[in-house]
Amino acid sequence: MNSPSAPVSFGAFVSASRDRGRLVVQPRMGFGDPERMRTGLAATRAARAATVGTITLDSYTRVGDHAAARRAIAAGGAALNGYPIVARPARETLDVLAGVRGHRFPVQVRHGSAGPQDIFRALLEVGLTATEGGPVSYCLPYGRTPLSVSVANWRESTEILAAHSGTEPEPHLETFGGCMLGQLCPPGMLVAISLLEGLFFVRHGVRSVSLSYAQQTSPEQDREAVRALRRLAGEFLAGADWHVVLYTYMGLYPRTPEGARSVLRQAARTCVSAGAERLIVKTEAEAHRIPTIGENVRALETAARAAEAEPPGTGGDPDSETYAEARALVEGVLEHSDDVGDALLRAFAHGHLDIPFCLHPDNAGRVRSYIDDAGYLRWADTGALPLPPVARRADPGAVTSANLLSTLSYMERRHDSRVRG
Amino acid sequence: MRSITQSTFPVDSGSVTVLSGTSSDSHTWNLVFLQLLLEEAGHRVVNLGPCVPDRLFVEECRTRTPRLVVVSSVNGHGYGDGLRMIRALRDAPGTGRVPVVIGGKLGVGGTLEDERAEDLLAAGYDAVFADGDTDAFTVYLSGPVVRAAS
Ligand code: B12
């Protein structure tokens, strides 16, 4: 039995909220200063919504440059873009968490590291057991670590976490694969990578996982993607505790407060209508700078109100184009090996997985994507993906700085222009 | 790093322009965008990609003898990372007085305060561009510093 203040398991908290019909909302919050981090967690907890807390780590910690993190701490810590959990002594992090986390408020650590062993040890040391990432999604978009090194690091890290499986709070790992570079990746690919990373975690001993998917340019297509992810999770992750988490749009964000809220409300509605249990919000400051605590709380409450107003979807998780595409990609990968990590490596080497606009040397770079007239993200060229080649479109022409920026600004234009009229 | 672009613009066959992220910054859309912008202005670009360690940055600038070096950062650490990089480059033998510029969202408050931009200039950058200053950058590219270097 848990004592009243014993920290709750992340997965258990989310499923209890689902049973009560409440969408769990979560910020992407992280500050270099411990006092501010603590105040931010307390404010998240006090928000009028079903919330979980976040400690987002800074970029030095992400790339393993703890010496640079220490120098920034010595200068006050305010210039860091997140909380340096490895460079700070455990007792300072325990002070950040004391009296804040508890049986009604789990806290997750968010990072972005292709070698998170130190990070996982540091969070376990302070009794935290929920975090996120993945061997592919925290490698290709996050720097220059070779994919093979990232896969080896993630095997080790997942096992460090999984060594605590079966003890409370139950370790929980969320995939970042549903985001990748944040924009211009067709949903079938995001769903496939998210599912495969979830499978990687489960095969390495984690019993409670969440599968991410990031909002893209079309609400219809997003609903299809969330349902496809649910269906694939049912098929491939039987026996594990799982839920789906939606990320509010991760690409170039609207610049006006009203435009920013409009994207956020749309994301909350997608969760409820398509059956995602948790939403990571974005704030009005997204296009400009790291958000304040107040901006985060407003975003959490805006999302919660939008979710309450949306009727839950019905109709299960039917067949769809996104499901068929994701399933073909997943099967294509798993044909390479019984070991998910090896299968991922071989699939990328053959271009059977391939991310548009990714500069990483281990990405084949043969695919192209575009946004169609209805706002759907589609393949312009499927390269070597195990998918039917696309019907020949009119030549999309060369990418220029102007047309790239215009494509990236699709959501900004749509949502900001509603305000500008 | 892989190039996603197949430039169709006539580029300078002479010396290259080095484009680089900073050691802690993993963002790449900024780099893809700037590579295109530079190519459209006639530059042959070597894109070092994201998370470039200082040593690699200096080494590439030394061996490639570029006409221009462009540093881009948006993760909020650009001020600190950018200072370290320019000091390392200006201290390194054999890198001459190549023009180096930096831009993006250089602080966690987004755009940098004026005093901090002054620090970057004092440390050896030839120009500092705020988030959204791409027009000023285009003007700079056609100006005397870059032309003289080519
Ligand atoms: C996409 C994105 C990501 C993707 C990046 C994928 C990839 N490989 O590129 C992912 C999800 C991985 C990501 C991760 C992170 N991100 Co991010 N990301 C964004 C986002 C949403 C869009 C960026 C984008 O695509 N821009 C399109 C390109 C073309 O434009 P741009 O980068 O804005 O650059 C423009 C100008 O700045 C200028 N420019 C840039 N450099 C230069 C250089 C020169 C010389 C000149 C003249 C001009 C110039 O030109 C561009 C066109 O105008 C922005 C917020 C936003 N803008 O909406 C946040 C943002 C940049 N991210 C941010 C942060 C902090 C992070 C993380 C540290 C996570 C975190 N703590 O939240 C990690 C990075 C980890 C690391 N090691 O660095 C912050 C930075 C805060 C700040 N500076 O104050 C932002 C602003 C979000 C926010 N409000 O918190 N991110």
Side-chain angles (χ1 to χ4, degrees):
Chain A
M1 271 305 288
N2 283 339
S3 66
S5 64
V8 62
S9 297
F10 196 86
F13 178 87
V14 173
S15 59
S17 301
R18 172 188 43 213
D19 293 347
R20 285 184 292 127
R22 298 190 77 187
L23 177 67
V24 174
V25 291
Q26 178 180 1
R28 281 184 185 284
M29 190 194 287
F31 301 110
D33 174 51
E35 199 42 52
R36 195 156 180 225
M37 189 70 252
R38 184 184 161 75
T39 309
L41 286 170
T44 302
R45 180 178 166 145
R48 289 175 303 121
T51 55
V52 292
T54 304
I55 296 181
T56 294
L57 306 189
D58 70 286
S59 294
Y60 294 124
T61 304
R62 289 160 183 254
V63 298
D65 189 355
H66 305 304
R70 274 186 212 102
R71 283 197 297 274
I73 292 170
L80 286 170
N81 62 9
Y83 183 80
I85 199 167
V86 179
R88 294 251 183 227
R91 62 180 158 70
E92 283 185 27
T93 307
L94 284 168
D95 284 345
V96 167
L97 293 165
V100 180
R101 67 160 154 193
H103 70 296
R104 291 214 318 257
F105 190 65
V107 173
Q108 185 193 38
V109 172
R110 305 190 67 89
H111 55 104
S113 173
Q117 292 93 323
D118 287 355
I119 294 171
F120 281 25
R121 288 193 192 99
L123 62 92
L124 287 166
E125 198 182 337
V126 296
L128 294 173
T129 59
T131 183
E132 45 95 59
V136 173
S137 59
Y138 272 1
C139 177
L140 299 186
Y142 276 91
R144 48 205 315 127
T145 308
L147 189 58
S148 57
V149 174
S150 178
V151 168
N153 285 336
W154 272 90
R155 277 191 188 114
E156 195 183 327
S157 303
T158 307
E159 285 165 10
I160 290 171
L161 191 72
H164 298 258
S165 288
T167 59
E168 294 281 314
E170 180 68 41
H172 180 91
L173 207 43
E174 164 193 327
T175 66
F176 192 77
C179 177
M180 294 304 292
L181 274 70
Q183 46 205 346
L184 300 187
C185 183
M189 178 62 77
L190 297 174
V191 167
I193 295 180
S194 196
L195 188 279
L196 288 160
E197 288 189 329
L199 191 59
F200 177 95
F201 296 157
V202 170
R203 293 272 174 91
H204 288 282
V206 175
R207 299 180 190 173
S208 175
V209 297
S210 43
L211 304 176
S212 67
Y213 172 74
Q215 178 185 19
Q216 302 294 329
T217 47
S218 153
E220 294 77 29
Q221 203 181 19
D222 287 345
R223 284 194 291 273
E224 222 177 86
V226 168
R227 290 183 170 134
L229 197 48
R230 299 190 64 80
R231 180 149 161 204
L232 288 165
E235 291 163 356
F236 285 85
L237 302 179
D241 166 57
W242 61 266
H243 69 264
V244 169
V245 52
L246 184 77
Y247 301 164
T248 305
Y249 190 57
M250 293 293 282
L252 197 64
Y253 214 72
R255 306 187 66 82
T256 65
E258 190 43 53
R261 284 194 295 271
S262 161
V263 174
L264 175 61
R265 289 198 193 95
Q266 177 58 61
R269 289 195 295 268
T270 298
C271 287
V272 178
S273 59
E277 289 92 341
R278 180 162 57 98
L279 172 68
I280 305 218
V281 304
K282 284 234 172 156
T283 74
E284 297 159 23
E286 176 62 20
H288 311 286
R289 54 174 166 75
I290 302 277
T292 62
I293 294 171
E295 285 162 343
N296 272 294
V297 169
R298 270 207 300 287
L300 292 166
E301 294 181 344
T302 299
R305 298 298 86 77
E308 285 157 9
E310 180 75 7
T314 50
D317 303 323
D319 260 336
S320 69
E321 220 180 306
T322 308
Y323 170 77
E325 185 172 310
R327 171 125 204 161
L329 291 168
V330 168
E331 284 173 353
V333 172
L334 295 178
E335 269 169 28
H336 284 283
S337 171
D338 289 339
D339 179 279
V340 182
D342 289 343
L344 285 166
L345 284 175
R346 287 184 205 152
F348 272 102
H350 286 88
H352 294 168
L353 290 177
D354 196 348
I355 309 301
F357 294 99
C358 178
L359 297 180
H360 196 287
D362 293 328
N363 187 63
R366 274 176 248 157
V367 296
R368 274 190 59 185
S369 58
Y370 72 105
I371 303 171
D372 78 7
D373 296 339
Y376 277 52
L377 255 174
R378 295 194 185 281
W379 298 108
D381 186 339
T382 51
L385 300 179
L387 298 176
V390 285
R392 197 167 278 286
R393 300 196 307 128
D395 178 14
V399 186
T400 65
S401 62
N403 68 28
L404 174 71
L405 207 54
S406 157
T407 309
L408 291 174
S409 308
Y410 179 87
M411 288 288 270
E412 201 258 293
R413 256 193 329 272
R414 272 183 73 103
H415 291 266
D416 275 347
S417 65
R418 290 187 188 165
V419 195
R420 290 186 191 133
Chain B
M1 289 285 137
R2 204 168 276 289
S3 177
I4 63 111
T5 63
Q6 237 119 54
S7 180
T8 49
F9 294 88
V11 294
D12 191 328
S13 55
S15 57
V16 299
T17 291
V18 167
L19 171 63
S20 181
T22 60
S23 67
S24 80
D25 197 334
S26 63
H27 291 90
T28 51
W29 293 100
N30 47 325
L31 301 175
V32 172
F33 169 78
L34 288 167
Q35 176 168 358
L36 291 165
L37 197 75
L38 284 161
E39 286 173 354
E40 288 156 18
H43 291 240
R44 201 148 57 85
V45 178
V46 175
N47 187 345
L48 303 183
C51 294
V52 179
D54 294 0
R55 244 185 304 121
L56 177 67
F57 174 70
V58 171
E59 194 49 29
E60 293 279 347
C61 290
R62 202 179 56 75
T63 52
R64 294 186 187 268
T65 55
R67 65 194 271 209
L68 174 68
V69 177
V70 179
V71 177
S72 167
S73 176
V74 297
N75 74 348
H77 288 181
Y79 170 75
D81 286 345
L83 275 179
R84 243 191 20 250
M85 283 168 90
I86 194 68
R87 287 179 182 144
L89 182 68
R90 294 306 186 206
D91 285 350
T95 52
R97 192 65 183 72
V98 57
V100 185
V101 304
I102 186 168
K105 296 184 202 295
L106 297 175
V108 289
T111 295
L112 222 50
E113 305 83 39
D114 288 347
E115 323 75 275
R116 301 207 139 198
E118 296 293 331
D119 295 346
L120 290 167
L121 292 170
Y125 285 104
D126 295 276
V128 178
F129 296 93
D131 184 32
D133 261 2
T134 37
D135 289 345
F137 183 55
T138 314
V139 171
Y140 176 85
L141 288 178
S142 58
V145 180
V146 175
R147 276 214 313 264
S150 55

